[in-house]
Amino acid sequence: MTAADAHPGAAAPADLGALALAEVVACHAFFVDWYAGRLGEAALTDRLTAFSPDFLRIAPDGREVRFADLDGFLSARRAAKPDNFAIRIEDGHTVWQDDRAALVSYVEYQQTGALETRRRSTALFLACPTAPHGVLWRHLQETTIQPNGSAGKTPSAE
């Protein structure tokens, strides 16, 4: 039974997983333009409205970046990448969701010229109708995928 079934005429709750994955793509498109120096300072202020004040990012190396650090963290990286820098998001899917939050997973590919890196990320989003895509980033865990694809795999006994 859906919310619309329980309350005839009521709108079904938003698919928070789909909203979260749309936000992931939009955020990384911002990073490409921001890191290449193609956006003005106001773009960062707008982008930060998609993050919860309680946001925590755990980088692949284990370092933590909190919401209070985001402005400085992203400002320091502005214009740090060449024009051929690109990010693509693949394998995005919803791990879990309810009407207040969604947990999604995706693989982020970063490419600068011939160099490509990959990371598998899991992100928790909170519903927020006033956020740009209807959700706020709350928690992000990133893990580097080694060039041989071994991230998260147990070595074989061979």
Side-chain angles (χ1 to χ4, degrees), residues 96-107:
W96 169 88
Q97 70 178 349
D98 68 11
D99 61 342
R100 297 173 305 163
L103 182 67
V104 299
S105 182
Y106 58 91
V107 175

Side-chain angles (χ1 to χ4, degrees), residues 3-125:
D5 295 333
H7 304 285
D15 181 346
L16 290 183
L19 295 175
L21 290 169
E23 169 57 29
V24 166
V25 171
C27 189
H28 288 84
F30 164 83
F31 290 151
V32 169
D33 288 337
W34 179 256
Y35 292 157
R38 293 189 288 264
L39 299 174
E41 291 290 330
L44 179 57
T45 301
D46 291 344
R47 173 79 335 242
L48 291 177
T49 64
F51 291 84
S52 164
D54 296 320
F55 174 74
L56 172 64
R57 171 186 179 244
I58 301 174
D61 66 3
R63 284 184 293 157
E64 294 183 354
V65 177
R66 297 189 178 279
F67 179 80
D69 306 319
L70 275 179
D71 187 282
F73 176 81
L74 294 171
S75 291
R77 286 159 177 74
R78 186 167 186 238
K81 297 284 185 180
D83 282 338
N84 66 352
F85 174 66
I87 298 175
R88 75 181 186 277
I89 303 298
E90 294 185 359
D91 303 324
H93 65 278
T94 301
V95 175
W96 169 88
Q97 70 178 349
D98 68 11
D99 61 342
R100 297 173 305 163
L103 182 67
V104 299
S105 182
Y106 58 91
V107 175
E108 174 185 341
Y109 295 80
Q110 291 189 13
Q111 187 165 4
T112 305
L115 176 65
E116 182 176 279
T117 61
R118 299 177 299 155
R119 40 179 95 161
R120 183 172 315 282
S121 298
T122 304
L124 177 65
F125 289 86

